[in-house]
Amino acid sequence: MLRIGMLTSGGDCQALNAAMRGVVKGLVSKRDDVEIYGFQDGYKGLIYSNFKMLTSKDFSGILTLGGTILGTSRQPFKLMRVPDKDGIDKVEAMKHTYHKLNLDCLVILGGNGTHKSANMLREEGLNVVTLPKTIDNDLWGTDMTFGFQSAVDIATDTIDRIHTTATSHSRVFMEVMGHKVGWVTLHAGIAGGADIILLPEMPYDINSVVEAIEKRGKAGKRFTIIAVAEGAISKEDAALSKKELKEKKAKKKYPSVAYELAEKIQEKTDKEVRITVPGHTQRGGSPCAYDRVLATRLGAEAARAILEGDFGCMVGTKNQEIIRVPLSEVAGKLKYVDPKASIIK
Ligand code: F6P
């Protein structure tokens, strides 16, 4: 008997179901004695032994389905070693569930925080294989995460729609997801033809933003579209210490970074600004074709790793090929946009 536990953790994204389907199809095509335990709502399911026994039928017909059939939740890594409100040791509880069910391996789908916890479980002696999910594409060790291309398509579509209305009126800009990294904003910004793109990795100078807007005005352009990442930051704020920044933000609260930027632009120009925040729509709905293919390939490779007994790895991509990367190398590292990269030039 091959007993596999599976969980999805952190913010959801498109193609989580497609990836799990890939794993299960890969396993059951080679073995007819596979038992699948689906843990509910991420690590919580593993901690509190909340699971459903699933069969390959449960993974049929879900290739195009958004969200995750297992549910997910955020379970911060930094709290994993802190007992819960009832004094339960979360790490010990997860190990207990794993051993109680006699699992051979855990398949964990998640982003950065999830990978830190997965690596900790590996260090605690559990067999773990992970899959890189996140719209942010910021996981170290893989060129691409599933969810990213779908989110870029949605954000691009939003920019396209803004374009037509912006042409009729004055100016509009939008805020794209991505707190610490700007991959989605960068790609959607280029694909949608945004006039200004602001990323967390490259603090902006408000005067340059204003100059660019005015230059467009002088050239007879009626509008400027700014694609701004959730985590975009001004040069001024980037120079502050964490404490100073926190104090500054506490003094004047904005619903999000786009509102702060809008205020600055309105102060410095006579332009009208409109804000569009596609927000969680970027994580919703069906995966795009690219993500369906990627997630299926990654899932199938995870199945191969399990069948070979090759644990402690994340399945990712490098130069269009599917690879396995040691979890110890992935955990705790972010893949940022390099300001010197050719795509920036
Ligand atoms: O991790 C993906 C992501 O969508 C980020 O881009 C965003 O900053 C964050 O999650 C939003 O998190 P939540 O869904 O918990 O509000």
Side-chain angles (χ1 to χ4, degrees):
M1 188 63 72
L2 182 64
R3 294 188 182 87
I4 305 298
M6 210 180 281
L7 65 89
T8 53
S9 176
D12 73 344
C13 72
Q14 298 89 342
L16 277 163
N17 291 325
M20 292 192 276
R21 169 183 172 274
V23 177
V24 173
K25 278 196 180 291
L27 291 174
V28 301
S29 68
K30 297 281 184 238
R31 299 262 304 243
D32 51 16
D33 60 346
V34 185
E35 265 183 6
I36 304 154
Y37 297 78
F39 293 102
Q40 288 178 322
D41 298 340
Y43 286 112
K44 263 190 200 159
L46 190 59
I47 297 168
Y48 302 108
S49 200
N50 194 4
F51 62 86
K52 301 187 265 203
M53 290 209 59
L54 303 168
T55 69
S56 59
K57 274 198 195 134
D58 293 301
F59 296 87
S60 226
I62 62 169
L63 173 65
T64 62
L65 189 66
T68 158
I69 59 167
L70 298 182
T72 185
S73 66
R74 292 202 184 272
Q75 198 67 27
F77 172 70
K78 61 178 180 220
L79 297 181
M80 278 299 193
R81 296 267 179 204
V82 178
D84 78 355
K85 60 177 178 12
D86 298 319
I88 290 174
D89 180 325
K90 295 173 199 137
V91 179
E92 283 310 312
M94 288 192 279
K95 283 160 65 180
H96 177 75
T97 306
Y98 180 95
H99 293 301
K100 180 184 76 179
L101 298 176
N102 242 324
L103 296 180
D104 294 295
C105 178
L106 277 173
V107 178
I108 298 178
L109 295 84
N112 273 295
T114 302
H115 274 78
K116 288 192 226 167
S117 298
N119 187 46
M120 179 191 68
L121 292 177
R122 178 195 65 81
E123 286 168 350
E124 291 286 332
L126 308 192
N127 293 333
V128 179
V129 171
T130 68
L131 289 167
K133 75 85 228 193
T134 165
I135 64 162
D136 293 339
N137 194 29
D138 60 352
L139 255 176
W140 194 92
T142 183
D143 288 349
M144 197 58 79
T145 60
F146 54 84
F148 172 67
Q149 295 290 349
S150 302
V152 168
D153 282 358
I154 295 165
T156 303
D157 180 59
T158 308
I159 298 179
D160 290 349
R161 286 168 197 275
I162 288 173
H163 250 118
T164 61
T165 168
T167 320
S168 325
H169 289 273
S170 51
R171 63 213 57 254
V172 182
F173 69 86
M174 66 170 295
E175 177 183 283
V176 183
M177 267 198 181
H179 234 131
K180 293 188 178 146
V181 297
W183 290 109
V184 181
T185 312
L186 176 61
H187 282 249
I190 294 174
D195 308 299
I196 298 173
I197 301 176
L198 303 179
L199 311 178
E201 292 90 339
M202 301 173 71
Y204 66 85
D205 175 352
I206 186 64
N207 295 323
S208 309
V209 172
V210 168
E211 246 170 60
I213 293 172
E214 280 171 349
K215 197 170 158 200
R216 281 179 59 78
K218 280 183 197 139
K221 314 265 176 155
R222 286 170 52 80
F223 67 93
T224 299
I225 289 184
I226 309 179
V228 48
E230 254 183 314
I233 184 165
S234 66
K235 281 196 169 152
E236 203 190 340
D237 285 356
L240 298 177
S241 69
K242 262 193 183 169
K243 191 171 165 254
E244 288 167 332
L245 188 60
K246 211 173 156 194
E247 281 167 8
K248 186 175 171 190
K249 295 219 174 225
K251 268 188 212 147
K252 189 149 193 197
K253 285 204 166 90
Y254 295 94
S256 71
V257 94
Y259 289 83
E260 187 182 346
L261 187 67
E263 193 178 276
K264 287 183 195 164
I265 292 171
Q266 260 165 348
E267 268 167 24
K268 289 181 182 274
T269 69
D270 58 349
K271 312 293 182 198
E272 254 189 352
V273 178
R274 293 289 183 270
I275 297 163
T276 304
V277 180
H280 287 78
T281 63
Q282 291 164 97
R283 292 199 335 221
S286 291
C288 66
Y290 181 97
D291 276 337
R292 295 179 199 182
V293 175
L294 175 65
T296 302
R297 291 184 70 192
L298 294 173
E301 180 66 9
R304 273 190 288 277
I306 294 167
L307 294 170
E308 289 166 19
D310 183 12
F311 304 119
C313 59
M314 175 187 82
V315 180
T317 67
K318 192 162 184 62
N319 303 330
Q320 314 288 338
E321 282 308 321
I322 304 294
I323 54 162
R324 298 177 197 169
V325 197
L327 267 180
S328 55
E329 286 178 24
V330 175
K333 286 187 226 158
L334 275 182
K335 185 180 72 192
Y336 290 101
V337 174
D338 177 0
K340 294 198 186 79
S342 60
I343 189 166
I344 298 291
K345 284 177 197 144

